Amino acid sequence: MVQNLESLISDVGYIINNADKLSNPKDYIQIISKIQYIISSSNAKFYEGIKRKRIPFDEIERYMDLDSILINGCSTIGSIEIARILRFGEKAVSNVIDIICIDQQRAITQRDTITNYIKMRRYKYEFLPNNIYGFRVSLNEELIIPNLYGIYFYIKVDLSNLKLYITINMAGNLFIKKNGLNYILYFNDFGLFSIIYKFFRYKDKDIKDLEEYEKYKDKIKEIINKGFNDRDIDNLRILFGEKDIDKIRKNLDKYLEKHPGSVYKSLYKVIEYV
C-alpha cells in the first residue's frame, strides 16, 4: 500500500509542487482526485504551518486599513468581515485575514494592491509556500501535500509585536478534504454568508460570536434584510444540501429558544429561498 501511494505521489508530483499556479484547476480534476485519494488512503493529518491567535479587530485595522486595500470583486470573510461591516473594534478575531476574489485577475490585482500597501508602510513581509496549509503524509519520508489548487497567495506580515497572515484565494479553486473535493465559491455578500455559516458550524465560539454581534442589532438587521442576490442563492444551493439547510434551521431554532426576540429571527426568510 505504501509503495502504491509513493508511486502515485511521484506521478502527481508536478501538480503538488505547482498547486498555486493552476489557472484552471478543473483541467486537472483527474490528477487532483488522485491526490485526494492519497490523502484519504493514508494516515494524513491536516497541517497548518502558521501561529494563529485571536486579537482585537482594531489591532488589525491599526496596521491594515482593510476598507482601503480591498478591491472590487474581493472580500474578507468570516468574523473579520462581520467586524469590518459592524466597525466592531474590540471584537476578537483571527490574525489570519482570509480574502476571496471572484476571478483570477482580481486575485492577482488584490495581491499587488496589498503588497504595494505593505511596501508603502515599510512592513516586513514574505510569501509563504503553497503547502503552509495541507496534509502531512508519512510514508518513507514526510511530505506536506497542499490542500488547495488554483491561483492563490499566502503572505506573512511581520510587525514589531504581531504577525499577520493574509490569504488571497479565488472562486473556482479546488480544496481537498479527507472525504472529498470542494470548489471555492464567491458570495457578493460575505457578511450575510458568514453569519449563516456560523449557524451551520454552530460551535461554542460561533454561538459566542453571534451573541456579541447582537449589540449591533440595527446593522445586523440591515445585513439580513438586504438578503442575497440570485447568484449568491445559486452558490448556497451548491454549497448546502437539504440536510445542511435543515441543520442551519435547527441550530437557529436552538439559538432563538435561548434568545427570544433575537435579530436573527429574520434569517428564516433568507433560508427559505435556498
Side-chain angles (χ1 to χ4, degrees), residues 100-160:
I100 295 182
C101 297
I102 198 169
D103 56 33
Q104 178 179 326
Q105 185 54 55
R106 285 183 177 88
I108 294 171
T109 302
Q110 183 65 84
R111 174 203 63 190
D112 294 342
T113 300
I114 287 174
T115 53
N116 288 337
Y117 180 91
I118 292 171
K119 290 174 184 175
M120 179 187 69
R121 293 289 188 100
R122 297 184 179 180
Y123 300 151
K124 294 180 182 178
Y125 77 99
E126 64 178 300
F127 285 94
L128 300 175
N130 66 5
N131 64 351
I132 202 73
Y133 298 96
F135 286 92
R136 193 191 299 269
V137 179
S138 297
L139 299 173
N140 284 338
E141 60 178 326
E142 189 173 85
L143 177 70
I144 298 174
I145 298 178
N147 73 322
L148 189 60
Y149 295 81
I151 301 292
Y152 60 92
F153 312 98
Y154 298 142
I155 306 170
K156 180 176 76 170
V157 185
D158 201 347
L159 303 166
S160 57

Side-chain angles (χ1 to χ4, degrees), residues 58-261:
D58 269 346
E59 191 71 5
I60 289 178
E61 287 279 274
R62 176 183 167 193
Y63 295 103
M64 307 286 294
D65 181 359
L66 297 180
D67 289 346
S68 72
I69 63 174
L70 287 170
I71 66 169
N72 185 37
C74 295
S75 175
T76 51
I77 63 172
S79 295
I80 287 180
E81 173 64 2
I82 300 172
R84 187 174 74 88
I85 294 171
L86 301 181
R87 310 316 307 168
F88 191 171
E90 67 269 28
K91 179 72 186 85
V93 298
S94 173
N95 63 328
V96 179
I97 304 169
D98 291 313
I99 298 173
I100 295 182
C101 297
I102 198 169
D103 56 33
Q104 178 179 326
Q105 185 54 55
R106 285 183 177 88
I108 294 171
T109 302
Q110 183 65 84
R111 174 203 63 190
D112 294 342
T113 300
I114 287 174
T115 53
N116 288 337
Y117 180 91
I118 292 171
K119 290 174 184 175
M120 179 187 69
R121 293 289 188 100
R122 297 184 179 180
Y123 300 151
K124 294 180 182 178
Y125 77 99
E126 64 178 300
F127 285 94
L128 300 175
N130 66 5
N131 64 351
I132 202 73
Y133 298 96
F135 286 92
R136 193 191 299 269
V137 179
S138 297
L139 299 173
N140 284 338
E141 60 178 326
E142 189 173 85
L143 177 70
I144 298 174
I145 298 178
N147 73 322
L148 189 60
Y149 295 81
I151 301 292
Y152 60 92
F153 312 98
Y154 298 142
I155 306 170
K156 180 176 76 170
V157 185
D158 201 347
L159 303 166
S160 57
N161 60 343
L162 175 68
K163 286 184 174 61
L164 292 178
Y165 299 90
I166 303 170
T167 75
I168 304 172
N169 207 338
M170 75 170 195
N173 282 358
L174 265 168
F175 68 92
I176 293 176
K177 300 189 294 184
K178 288 206 78 170
N179 61 350
L181 300 172
N182 285 96
Y183 283 103
I184 300 292
L185 300 172
Y186 181 85
F187 289 87
N188 186 64
D189 193 338
F190 267 115
L192 180 54
F193 170 78
S194 299
I195 291 172
I196 287 178
Y197 196 81
K198 287 188 177 295
F199 280 102
F200 171 70
R201 192 169 54 183
Y202 209 61
K203 296 181 179 179
D204 288 344
K205 66 178 182 178
D206 299 305
I207 297 170
K208 182 181 177 183
D209 285 343
L210 290 166
E211 290 171 341
E212 289 180 343
Y213 300 148
E214 291 265 19
K215 68 164 76 173
Y216 293 89
K217 185 173 182 178
D218 290 341
K219 287 186 177 180
I220 291 291
K221 187 182 294 185
E222 186 179 330
I223 293 170
I224 295 173
N225 289 344
K226 181 182 177 184
F228 290 116
N229 61 22
D230 291 342
R231 180 173 180 169
D232 281 357
I233 291 173
D234 287 342
N235 280 339
L236 282 170
R237 289 169 179 161
I238 293 170
L239 184 64
F240 294 131
E242 288 185 18
K243 289 184 179 179
D244 299 324
I245 295 299
D246 190 49
K247 177 183 176 182
I248 292 169
R249 190 179 289 108
K250 287 179 179 178
N251 288 337
L252 181 55
D253 291 342
K254 291 177 187 176
Y255 185 90
L256 291 173
E257 282 180 14
K258 294 183 178 181
H259 305 81

